Amino acid sequence: MTNIESTTIINLPIEKVYTFLDDLNNHQQLMPENIYNWSSTKDEAQFTIQNMAKLTIKITERIENQKLIATPTEKPPFDVSLQWAVADLGNGTTKATLTISADLNMMMKMLASGPLQKLTDYQTQRLKEVLG
C-alpha cells in the first residue's frame, strides 16, 4: 500500500473539526477545480475527477473525534481509502491529517503519487482556510 499524507493545524476545538469532516456534504468545499459533478449526503459522495474517473465514496468507519475512513462503493481500478484523523493539541487547536492509502503497482505509483500528494495537500490547506 502506498500512503500519501498531509497534515494541518487548525485553531478550533477537535469537536468542531470532526463535526465538519463527519459530513461528506462539507467535503465539496475541500475539492480542487478538477473535481466536478459533485453530489453528496452525510455518508456518501459521488463526483468525477477530470480526465480520470467517476467515483462514489462512503464513510465506512467513524471513531468520534478521532478518525473517519471513506472507501469507494464500487470496485475502483485499485484499492483505495481516504482517512481523516484528528488529534487534540490542547488550547483549542486540532491537528488534522488526511491519508490516502492506495494499492498501486510501480507504474501507477509513478503516475499517481504526484497528483495524489497535490490532492491531499490541497484538501488540508482548504480545510484550514474553510474552518480558519
Side-chain angles (χ1 to χ4, degrees):
M1 275 295 199
T2 300
N3 290 321
I4 296 165
E5 196 172 279
S6 183
T7 299
T8 190
I9 307 297
I10 299 163
N11 293 321
L12 281 176
I14 192 168
E15 298 81 12
K16 291 196 176 193
V17 177
Y18 181 86
T19 299
F20 179 87
L21 292 171
D22 186 45
D23 186 345
L24 285 179
N25 289 311
N26 294 329
H27 287 245
Q28 184 174 13
Q29 299 172 63
L30 308 179
M31 293 295 168
E33 289 176 8
N34 67 337
I35 305 285
Y36 58 97
N37 290 340
W38 181 275
S39 67
S40 57
T41 64
K42 181 176 173 29
D43 296 321
E44 199 170 281
Q46 185 173 14
F47 52 91
T48 303
I49 304 168
Q50 187 176 4
N51 300 327
M52 287 180 85
K54 192 173 193 175
L55 202 56
T56 303
I57 58 170
K58 182 179 180 114
I59 294 181
T60 52
E61 184 179 342
R62 283 183 167 96
I63 300 174
E64 190 171 349
N65 296 331
Q66 289 181 34
K67 73 176 176 179
L68 296 159
I69 297 176
T71 56
T73 58
E74 297 157 18
K75 187 76 177 136
F78 49 84
D79 289 337
V80 64
S81 71
L82 291 82
Q83 175 178 301
W84 280 98
V86 289
D88 189 348
L89 299 178
N91 298 328
T93 59
T94 302
K95 178 170 88 170
T97 303
L98 172 60
T99 305
I100 296 177
S101 298
D103 188 12
L104 303 173
N105 63 32
M106 282 308 282
M107 180 80 157
M108 285 299 290
K109 190 173 181 176
M110 286 172 32
L111 291 171
S113 292
L116 288 174
Q117 185 66 59
K118 272 189 192 166
L119 177 64
T120 57
D121 292 344
Y122 183 88
Q123 286 195 286
T124 54
Q125 181 59 41
R126 284 291 299 150
L127 181 69
K128 186 175 182 126
E129 289 168 11
V130 169
L131 294 180

